[in-house]
Amino acid sequence: MTRSVSHPPYADPFAHPPETSPQELTAQLTPGARFQDVRFENYRPNPEFPSQAQARDQLAEFVRQAGQKASGGGFWPFKRRAPEGRGFYLDGGFGVGKTHLLASAYHAAKGQSGGSGGDVAFMSFQDLMYLIGALGMPQAIETFRNYKLLLIDEFELDDPGNTHMANTFLGGLMPSGVSVVATSNTEPGALGAGRFNAEDFQRQIQGIADRFGPHRIDGPDYRQRGTEPAQPLSEAEFAAWLARQNPQTTALMTHAELNRALLSVHPSRFARVLEQVSGVAVTNLEPMPEQGEALRFVHFVDKVYDLGLSAAFTGVPLNALFDDIYRNGGYAKKYSRALSRLSEMLREARG
């Protein structure tokens, strides 16, 4: 990829994206670097919202019980069937610590299983959809059949296709004993509300909702507590940030170059691509009128954030990135969370 800045040479993780096998795709289903040290014990609930402490305690107990998953006992033909997996659904706005709690659940479950983590997986809902697309539904179900716990962040059914895949996937695993924790900005019974009203779609929505016990978590976006949303860096701020980075492990590209690069890599491989660098700089942010382009950028932002990479952005104000039609449509919560995370990373870039 041609760079507008050629000296010193900056890293280009998209030049030779690593090949990813199905085994590698599932091996990377762990919390990113930003969430490696989070635990139930260091979650700080807002005392003004008791539901936060309640959600933490309820989830910790759910994970403890999931760790006691038993296989069917006895001998054939008297072998007992393993109990069905249970579902825990954490519903609340973005920025209230749902991902912190979900990652804490992962670390707690790993500790119960002796640290192997081989039967616990952590992923976003979009990761799951991409993984099913890459593996195919039968192989995806078979891959996770012996897991005791799946942790799915930002469970959001944006279209009937996703709904059908999620219902089929959960229906293939939970009856055999796999428990699932999911977080979302939407109550389980209201997933997809206001977007698709086809009878079959609503039936599948209800089928998913019935698998989970809902738990509400309230509160404001912690990333914005007491602060104004951050905006892209000025030229001077960007130059100061860039001077602190190692060029050999920092990716530097314009927004237009990034959009072209994201088209060349399947979203399920974004994390593997970004693991090759320690920092990412995207200059000349521009409005994204095309929704496919905007959603790829949102997924990119999520991966940069989860991996804890140093990041800097210049260009238009954040509220100009996404078209108002999209920000207020079916994907509104994806865009809102991306803007919240961009704002936090920009504050970090300023030091």
Side-chain angles (χ1 to χ4, degrees):
M1 181 185 299
T2 302
R3 293 281 181 237
S4 57
V5 179
S6 58
H7 299 290
Y10 287 88
D12 185 355
F14 292 97
H16 302 287
E19 294 296 326
T20 307
S21 68
Q23 293 75 20
E24 290 170 324
L25 283 175
T26 54
Q28 70 185 29
L29 297 178
T30 64
R34 186 177 292 270
F35 298 102
Q36 279 302 308
D37 296 325
V38 303
R39 299 293 187 273
F40 287 126
E41 293 76 15
N42 59 26
Y43 175 72
R44 295 189 299 172
N46 187 329
E48 297 181 13
F49 297 90
S51 62
Q52 294 189 8
Q54 293 168 3
R56 176 198 59 195
D57 297 342
Q58 291 165 346
L59 181 55
E61 176 60 19
F62 180 91
V63 172
R64 187 189 68 79
Q65 294 183 17
Q68 299 173 352
K69 171 188 168 185
S71 59
F75 298 94
W76 187 90
F78 307 105
K79 188 177 179 66
R80 296 190 301 274
R81 183 179 178 181
E84 285 201 13
R86 297 181 302 124
F88 187 105
Y89 196 96
L90 191 57
D91 160 45
F94 55 88
V96 294
K98 299 191 303 296
T99 303
H100 181 126
L101 291 175
L102 198 69
S104 298
Y106 176 88
H107 295 303
K110 274 193 67 174
Q112 290 176 184
S113 58
S116 66
D119 51 3
V120 182
F122 177 101
M123 70 195 89
S124 71
F125 182 73
Q126 200 60 57
D127 288 332
L128 175 60
M129 293 297 101
Y130 290 140
L131 191 66
I132 292 173
L135 299 178
M137 183 63 73
Q139 186 175 352
I141 291 175
E142 190 59 34
T143 296
F144 292 105
R145 188 173 301 281
N146 293 319
Y147 279 58
K148 72 177 181 187
L149 185 63
L150 300 184
L151 305 163
I152 305 173
D153 201 19
E154 295 302 317
F155 198 95
E156 181 63 52
L157 302 179
D158 301 305
D159 61 50
N162 284 351
T163 304
H164 178 71
M165 286 198 293
N167 199 32
T168 302
F169 180 77
L170 295 175
L173 291 176
M174 294 181 75
S176 62
V178 181
S179 290
V180 179
V181 179
T183 73
S184 182
N185 299 311
T186 309
E187 294 181 2
L191 285 165
R195 283 171 284 183
F196 304 99
N197 297 305
E199 182 179 346
D200 183 58
F201 180 68
Q202 290 301 327
R203 184 165 54 249
Q204 292 189 57
I205 287 287
Q206 192 58 49
I208 291 172
D210 288 346
R211 299 182 187 278
F212 290 89
H215 301 264
R216 178 71 189 178
I217 179 169
D218 301 296
D221 182 355
Y222 81 90
R223 288 184 280 263
Q224 308 298 346
R225 286 178 195 166
T227 66
E228 291 294 324
Q231 293 302 327
L233 304 182
S234 67
E235 289 188 15
E237 289 172 329
F238 181 76
W241 177 89
L242 198 58
R244 299 193 299 268
Q245 311 307 310
N246 178 354
Q248 295 182 339
T249 60
T250 300
L252 172 62
M253 65 195 78
T254 67
H255 189 191
E257 289 172 334
L258 173 64
N259 285 337
R260 289 194 294 271
L262 295 180
L263 275 172
S264 69
V265 178
H266 191 278
S268 65
R269 298 166 62 194
F270 282 6
R272 286 294 310 278
V273 169
L274 291 168
E275 285 171 353
Q276 301 176 93
V277 297
S278 61
V280 174
V282 181
T283 62
N284 304 323
L285 288 177
E286 300 173 343
M288 289 170 274
E290 198 276 310
Q291 177 133 259
E293 175 185 295
L295 289 174
R296 284 190 296 273
F297 181 78
V298 165
H299 193 59
F300 167 81
V301 167
D302 282 341
K303 291 307 167 190
V304 172
Y305 182 86
D306 290 344
L307 291 169
L309 302 182
S310 180
F313 302 86
T314 71
V316 301
L318 297 187
N319 62 7
L321 283 176
F322 307 121
D323 192 288
D324 284 345
I325 294 177
Y326 300 146
R327 291 179 61 185
N328 296 306
Y331 297 89
K333 291 164 185 174
K334 291 185 190 299
Y335 293 125
S336 294
R337 187 172 84 151
L339 292 172
S340 174
R341 289 180 159 188
L342 280 167
S343 182
E344 181 177 358
M345 289 189 288
L346 285 163
R347 278 197 295 273
E348 292 172 350
R350 289 184 168 96

